Structure formats: structure tokens, C-alpha cells
Amino acid sequence: MSPRPQQAVTLGELLAQPMKVDLNHLCVASDARAVRGVVLVSDIDEITSIEPDTIIVLSADVARGSWMVSAALRYAWERNACALIVPDRALNPSVTQLAERFQISLFTTAAEITLAAIEVATAVGMARAQLVSSLHRLTSRVGSSEDITEVLEFASVWLQGAPVELESSGAVVRSAMGTTNRPDVPNNIHTLPSRVSVRVGRGTKSHGLLVANVPASLRDHAASVLEICASKLRTLIAEEQFHALQQSLPPISIAALAESNARLPQHPGDPGWPAWPSGTSFVTLCLLSDHADRYGAALHHLWLAAFRDWPLVRAADGWLAFVPVDDTDLGALVAKVHGRLAEIHLLNLQVGVSLEHYGDAEVRPAIREAWLAARVAEAGKPHAIVSYDEIPARFLPRLLPPSFAEETLHSLYPALASDEHRDELIHLYTCYAAHLGSATDTAAHLGIHRNTVKLRLERLADLGVPVSDPTETLGIHMLFAALPGGTTGKSPGVRLAPPA
């Protein structure tokens, strides 16, 4: 196993250290250039074996003239060295121009060259020690944090304001960008952003990554910063998941929907049992995805970041959320969900929102309404979120199960549902639609007068059924035909009472 390379410092950090020798700057290619070590060269051939990001110090014998320094610069460029230090003597201007072309910093010193090499090596060690001390301070700050976004902000500050993102299944679910006093520097190969990432979860199957885009010279430092933050994030994410599970226990009791064998506590009144809004108004959100298993982690992190107090429950083909609306404007709520989920449109979610309900007894119909609305929603399009009362009737034929038709009738046409002649009216409309809107053919089929057909159609319109809208005809026909007795005029069984 090869030894781990020394952590790099930047050339700017090195030059900021106090030294007993003076370095004259003939060319400073980039303060952001990474520095890993210092090598004193007494034979020019030794340059061919040095490691990248090294400062080369030429002895007086090697740097005997401009042509030798030029040759050393070429070798240094081939080995990706970062700087060259030579004894103080007159150099041809072409040497400086060559250093600028190769983007290698060039310094001269009047001090004895061995002493200069020792001082520079000591300065590298001091700069590296300051980095270690900075990482210790970061560990202390992160260790006392209880917020995921705050941890990301710490990481960004320690990386000079670079953006830091928490990714899950390829989607960015949290991000932060701290402030920095670092001056703007011209772009070059050493300052262009480079992606650095570490795993947040345990094991190779983890889909969570902590990512930063930093200059190439900061890659080592960024990896150390991200590792420190990732360790804390594992704990915070686990706590969030546990909190979400605890808050979701009451909804999970609908085991058939969650496809779970969850066993609830024997005594729900015990301390710690999460409060379920049994005495409040609420709406249910249903989130569907064709890749629920793949994108579950990403959605979980995003949901907790935006809607921490609303439990999210895993269901058979998606997720359910129960949202109290006593003090919440429903339109603003839907807008907030739409705006937040739009940021990760790649998850292709279909979101349905139920009507407003009250109490535990209405949980099941609320779920069914949200599920139906989600089936209508178009993933990845402007209508990715649909409220139940926005479902166009023309979508009902492919979505409405017969067992749900009665409840849908009460929701869409409550006046008709409570009318004592509803069965006759519904049966007439199904016949009318089947005969392509011919009152004469409908009357002949039912054995009634043509004027009776017109009167019943007018009665349907008075009860809120848009019988004159051709775009709604097919949907209404299929809804009425799905009702018990819709095609016979007789409704068997017990009729559901309209919602209060």
C-alpha cells in the first residue's frame, strides 16, 4: 500500500509564512498553485524524478547560467513542479518569459542556497500545521451544530466560499455558499473549479454525496473538510429520518396502503407518541414516481429540508403526506410544494392534493382523492401537481374505479347526489350520451315524451352538471355509467351519505 501524499498547501499560503531568507519574485504564476514539498537539486538530472507540485531549489553549481535555468524550467514543467528557486544572479529576460509561459513561479535569493531550502521547507510545514489547526476548529464547530444546512455553510466558509451541495441519487437536495474575503484572481489551470466529493452514507451502495467545486490546489483540503462534515451529516440525517418515522406512525396504521407490517405501540397515549391532527382540518398529498425506490432518498432529504413538520409516509407506488391546514392558505401551500419540487424535476414526480378534510374518519377518502389527482398529474410538466377539485371530467374514464364512482359523484356534483330523483336523471343522461345527444332517440329508447327528456336535462343543469359542454360529455357519461344503477336506473345497495 503506497503512502498517502502530504496534504498540499497553496503557494500564497507558503509565501505568507515568516522566513529568515528573502525571495525575490521574478514570476509568480498563481498564488493558488498547490505545494507539497521542497527538493534541493545539485544535479540537473535529479529534476526528472521529482514529484508533482514540488518547489525545486537549484544549487549554485546547477544554476550556472541562464541556459541551465531555462533547462531546469523545461524539466520542471514536464514534471509539473510548481516553482523554481535559484541563487541571486543576473538572468536573461527570456528566462522569466519562459517561466511565465510554463506557468512556473520563479524566485531568486541572495541567501546561502541550502539555508534557503531549509527555510522554505519549514514554511511549508508551518502552512500545513495551520491547515490542520483550521480543520480542528471546523471539527469543533461542526460537532456542536444541529442543522444540516449550517454544516454545509461551515464547509463552504472553510473552502473560501466555494458552493457545497448535498446530493442524493443525483439530485441536489441541500446546498450552501458561504462568504469569503478572497480577492478575485484570473482564471488559469490552477484556479478553475474542480469537483470533489465524499460519500455521506455508509457502504458503496450509498447514494448520498457531499460535493464541492474548488480550485485544483484546494482538492486535498476540500476532501478533508468534506470528510469532517460528512461524518456529522450522517448523524443529523439519521436523526431526521428517525423523527420523520416517529411523526409518520399514525398514518402508517393504514397498513394496506403502506404495504407494511408495522406494529404500533400498545398505548398511543404514552409520552413520545406523535400528535396526529385528529381535531384539525388537513389535506393529503400523494406523490407518485415510476422510480420510487431509486429516488426515495433524494425526495426524503428534500422533503425534510422544506417541510420538516409534515410526515412523509412510503406507500406502494409513492409517498403520502398529511398536512394540517387550520392556519395555512391552501393555495399558498400548493404553490410552495410546486416551487420546491420543481427544483428537482428530474425525479418526474406526479403530485395530487386532496380536498380539505377533518378528523381521522376522513383519512381514507382523503388518500383516495390525492391518489386519483396524482394519477391525473403529468410528471415533469406544468401540471405535475393537481388538486382533486381540478380534475377535468374527461380524465375520469381511465381513472375512476366503479367502487369510487359514488364518492366522486358526491364530491363533484353534491346537489345531484342528494336529489331524490338522481337515479332517473343519471340513467337518462347515460342514454342521452349513448344516442349522441339525440332527444328523439333517447325518448324512443326510454319510452317517454321528447319534452320529458329536455326537462330532465334542464334539471341536471340546475343541479350543476354541465350537460351543454361538449368537452365534458364523455367524462360525465363514463362517471354516470360507473355508478351502481347508472345504466339501469336502479341503484342497488346502500347509498353513501354526502360529506358534511
Side-chain angles (χ1 to χ4, degrees), residues 403-422:
S403 61
F404 195 28
E406 184 72 33
E407 294 180 31
T408 303
L409 179 69
H410 281 287
S411 297
L412 298 182
Y413 310 116
L416 173 61
S418 60
D419 191 274
E420 61 179 345
H421 301 295
R422 60 159 249 179

Side-chain angles (χ1 to χ4, degrees), residues 52-136:
D53 304 327
T54 299
I55 294 179
I56 301 172
V57 182
L58 295 185
S59 67
D61 290 338
V62 176
R64 282 176 290 185
S66 295
W67 68 275
M68 288 292 288
V69 176
S70 298
L73 281 171
R74 180 172 294 277
Y75 285 139
W77 172 71
E78 292 175 352
R79 299 300 301 172
N80 196 25
C82 60
L84 193 67
I85 300 177
V86 299
D88 193 7
R89 61 185 59 182
L91 294 176
N92 193 300
S94 62
V95 175
T96 303
Q97 295 172 2
L98 188 63
E100 292 172 349
R101 180 186 300 178
F102 288 154
Q103 291 192 8
I104 294 177
S105 299
L106 180 62
F107 305 92
T108 63
T109 179
E112 198 275 323
I113 203 64
T114 302
L115 176 61
I118 293 173
E119 283 294 313
V120 173
T122 302
V124 171
M126 292 173 62
R128 190 171 289 135
Q130 290 178 353
L131 277 181
V132 173
S133 176
S134 173
L135 293 177
H136 286 167

Side-chain angles (χ1 to χ4, degrees), residues 435-456:
H435 289 89
L436 304 180
S438 171
T440 301
D441 292 345
T442 302
H445 178 81
L446 295 177
I448 59 178
H449 195 276
R450 185 172 182 273
N451 289 340
T452 303
V453 174
K454 292 183 177 180
L455 289 173
R456 292 182 181 177

Side-chain angles (χ1 to χ4, degrees), residues 416 421-435 442 445-448 453 456-457 460 476-477 479-481 483-491:
L416 173 61
H421 301 295
R422 60 159 249 179
D423 293 332
E424 294 177 2
L425 296 173
I426 289 172
H427 182 47
L428 178 131
Y429 188 88
T430 57
C431 292
Y432 180 71
H435 289 89
T442 302
H445 178 81
L446 295 177
I448 59 178
V453 174
R456 292 182 181 177
L457 290 175
L460 283 169
I476 298 172
H477 180 206
L479 169 62
F480 286 178
L483 290 166
T487 56
T488 64
K490 297 179 181 180
S491 178

Side-chain angles (χ1 to χ4, degrees), residues 218-283:
L218 290 177
R219 286 186 60 86
D220 290 349
H221 180 55
S224 298
V225 168
L226 297 184
E227 283 287 359
I228 292 171
C229 294
S231 178
K232 180 64 176 183
L233 287 175
R234 292 185 192 106
T235 302
L236 294 179
I237 291 172
E239 289 178 353
E240 277 198 346
Q241 291 172 338
F242 181 77
H243 174 76
L245 176 62
Q246 187 184 37
Q247 291 298 108
S248 300
L249 284 177
I252 287 177
S253 62
I254 309 170
L257 284 170
E259 289 190 346
S260 167
N261 294 321
R263 182 167 57 86
L264 298 181
Q266 298 279 332
H267 307 288
D270 288 348
W273 175 257
W276 170 245
S278 57
T280 62
S281 298
F282 68 94
V283 296

